[in-house]
Amino acid sequence: MSSIDPSVSALSVWLALESPTHHTPGVNGMMDLVASEVDGLPIAVERIPGRNGLGDSLILRAGLDTGEPSVAIMSHLDTVHPVGTSAQDLPVRVEGDRLYGPGVYDMKGGAWLALQAFKEVALSATAKRPMVFLFTPDEEIGSPTTRKLIEEIGRASAAVLVTEPARDGGKIVTARKGVGRFEVKLEGRPAHSGSRHADGRSAIREAAHQILAIEAMTDYARGITTSVALMGGGTAANVIPQHAWFSVDLRVASLVDGIEMESRILGLKPHDPDVAIRISGGMNRPPYEKSTAVAGLFETARAIATGIGFDLQDCPMTGGGSDGNFTAALGVPTLDGLGIDGEGAHTLSEYALISSIAPRRALIKGLLESV
Ligand SMILES: [Zn+2]
C-alpha cells in the first residue's frame, strides 16, 4: 500500500477480509472487526447469531436513551465476490484516487465511513436522537434471515440511512424499484427423440413458450421489467425432455404494479395441456417510493452537504433493490446510496473514490446530529 492516508489503510483491512454471503467465517470476521473497533467507546454492542448457515448480525447503540424514535444506519458486510478474488482478479490496491478491492464500493467503503461518523458522534455525544447501527450478513441474497430485524429497527426509527454506494458522481438514492423472484418448473413426458418423437411432451419447448410470454410483460413506460436469466432442463440430446426449469426476475416501480405482476406471473397457464407447470415465488422487496417524507429528509441532507461544501443530488428511481426498500415500504423516511462513491459494483473492476470518504463521512455525521 503506497498511500499513507489512514482511512485507506484502515478500510483496506476490511477489504482484505473476504466475506461473500455464504462464507460465514468471513462474514462473522467482519462483525468481529466492527465490534473490536468500538470496544471501549460509549457504544453498546448486541450480536445476533446467524441462521440457516448465514453469518451473524450486529447492532450498535449509542446516544441518549430517551425512548423516542432513533436514527438508524444500515449496512451489509457481505459481498458477491468469492474467496480468492483479492488474491487473483481484484487485489486490494490504490491507483491515484481509486481504491480497488472486493466489496469496496458495494459496500464496505460506505459501511466503514458511516461507522467512523457514528463513533465520532457517539464520542462527542452530539446525536439528536438515540442512534442505532445495524450490520447485516445477507443483503446480497435478498436478506432472507434479516428482513424482520431490519423492519423491527425501521419501525422504531424516525429515519433510516442506508450506506449502499453512491452513483453517477455522488448521487444518493431516494427511490428504488421493487423486486420479485419466481421459480418455474415444468414437467412433460419423456420419449426417445428418434423412434417415439410423437409420444413426447417437451418440457423445454413449453418453457420456451412461457419464457417469451414472461419477457413480453416488460413495459418500460411503466417501469416494469421481466427477465429470465437462469434456466435448465433435459437429460440427453436424444430424449424429449421431461423436466425444465427457469427463474424470473421482476422489477416494478409501484406497489400496485407489484401486486398485478405477481398475479399475472403466478397465474400463467401451460400452452401444451399435457405439460404441468408449477410456479412459486413472489415479490421479495417492495418498491421504495419517493414519498413527501423521503423528499423532506433528502432536503435536510442536501442542506448539510451544502454546508460541507458539495452539491448533493439524488438519482432517478433505480432498478436495483436494497434493504432500504423494506424500511421505506413501512413508511419510514429512508435515504439510500449514502455510501462511498465509485464504480463497478459486483464486477472485478470495482473501485471506490478515496476523495469521497471525507465529505460523505461528514454528511452522515451531520445527519446523525440533525435528523
Ligand atoms: Zn450492496
Side-chain angles (χ1 to χ4, degrees):
M1 199 64 43
S2 59
S3 174
I4 48 157
D5 184 331
S7 295
V8 171
S9 338
L11 176 50
S12 297
V13 174
W14 282 29
L15 303 179
L17 182 58
E18 295 181 290
S19 55
T21 316
H22 291 287
H23 182 58
T24 313
V27 176
N28 284 346
M30 287 302 304
M31 301 296 166
D32 294 339
L33 281 179
V34 173
S36 67
E37 196 167 317
V38 301
D39 194 31
L41 300 179
I43 295 173
V45 180
E46 182 187 352
R47 187 151 179 155
I48 297 164
R51 289 186 292 124
N52 305 349
L54 296 170
D56 301 344
S57 297
L58 203 69
I59 304 174
L60 310 182
R61 288 192 174 84
L64 308 162
D65 189 9
T66 55
E68 61 181 335
S70 51
V71 53
I73 306 179
M74 295 189 182
S75 301
H76 66 83
L77 292 178
D78 60 323
T79 76
V80 297
H81 300 286
V83 170
T85 303
S86 69
Q88 285 235 298
D89 304 309
L90 184 50
V92 179
R93 66 193 190 278
V94 173
E95 287 177 16
D97 189 33
R98 296 179 176 186
L99 172 60
Y100 286 86
V104 64
Y105 177 57
D106 185 8
M107 60 144 81
K108 287 185 182 178
W112 184 85
L113 67 86
L115 179 61
Q116 308 315 309
F118 188 89
K119 282 161 54 183
E120 225 178 312
V121 178
L123 268 174
S124 59
T126 46
K128 199 174 163 202
R129 300 171 169 279
M131 301 193 295
V132 179
F133 201 144
L134 171 65
F135 292 90
T136 56
D138 60 352
E139 193 275 344
E140 293 293 2
I141 58 166
S143 311
T145 66
T146 53
R147 178 174 182 168
K148 274 211 174 82
L149 185 60
I150 290 161
E151 290 178 335
E152 210 174 279
I153 292 177
R155 272 192 207 97
S157 301
V160 170
L161 313 174
V162 183
T163 65
E164 291 289 354
R167 53 198 67 214
D168 305 331
K171 290 185 181 140
I172 67 167
V173 174
T174 50
R176 288 182 182 273
K177 286 187 181 179
V179 184
R181 285 287 154 75
F182 303 85
E183 276 286 316
V184 181
K185 290 186 172 142
L186 304 116
E187 182 167 6
R189 193 191 302 155
H192 190 293
S193 63
S195 59
R196 292 273 180 243
H197 191 280
D199 295 344
R201 295 292 180 272
S202 168
I204 288 183
R205 188 184 137 98
E206 178 64 28
H209 281 292
Q210 298 295 339
I211 289 169
L212 288 177
I214 288 169
E215 295 253 348
M217 292 176 187
T218 290
D219 183 342
Y220 293 125
R222 286 172 67 192
I224 297 168
T225 60
T226 50
S227 30
V228 174
L230 277 175
M231 66 174 299
T235 50
N238 58 357
V239 180
I240 305 282
Q242 183 181 4
H243 297 284
W245 65 270
F246 60 90
S247 67
V248 181
D249 177 284
L250 165 71
R251 309 277 160 153
V252 294
S254 73
L255 210 56
V256 184
D257 287 351
I259 294 164
E260 180 198 323
M261 294 303 294
E262 192 177 84
S263 77
R264 278 178 73 186
I265 292 171
L266 291 174
L268 283 164
K269 295 283 174 282
H271 188 262
D272 178 342
D274 290 339
V275 178
I277 178 167
R278 260 191 309 133
I279 307 169
S280 58
M283 288 301 293
N284 169 273
R285 289 191 171 107
Y288 161 7
E289 299 175 61
K290 188 174 178 181
S291 64
T292 321
V294 171
L297 186 56
F298 171 65
E299 286 312 320
T300 304
R302 211 176 139 83
I304 294 168
T306 304
I308 296 164
F310 69 101
D311 178 32
L312 187 70
Q313 293 180 12
D314 63 343
C315 53
M317 179 177 254
T318 156
S322 90
D323 289 336
N325 288 58
F326 295 136
T327 58
L330 294 173
V332 184
T334 300
L335 289 185
D336 199 345
L338 286 165
I340 206 160
D341 198 5
E343 198 73 65
H346 298 194
T347 75
L348 294 175
S349 51
E350 175 173 7
Y351 68 83
L353 294 172
I354 297 166
S355 57
S356 75
I357 295 176
R360 301 187 81 86
R361 174 178 166 169
L363 174 60
I364 303 255
K365 177 173 182 279
L367 283 164
L368 292 173
E369 290 173 334
S370 54
V371 167

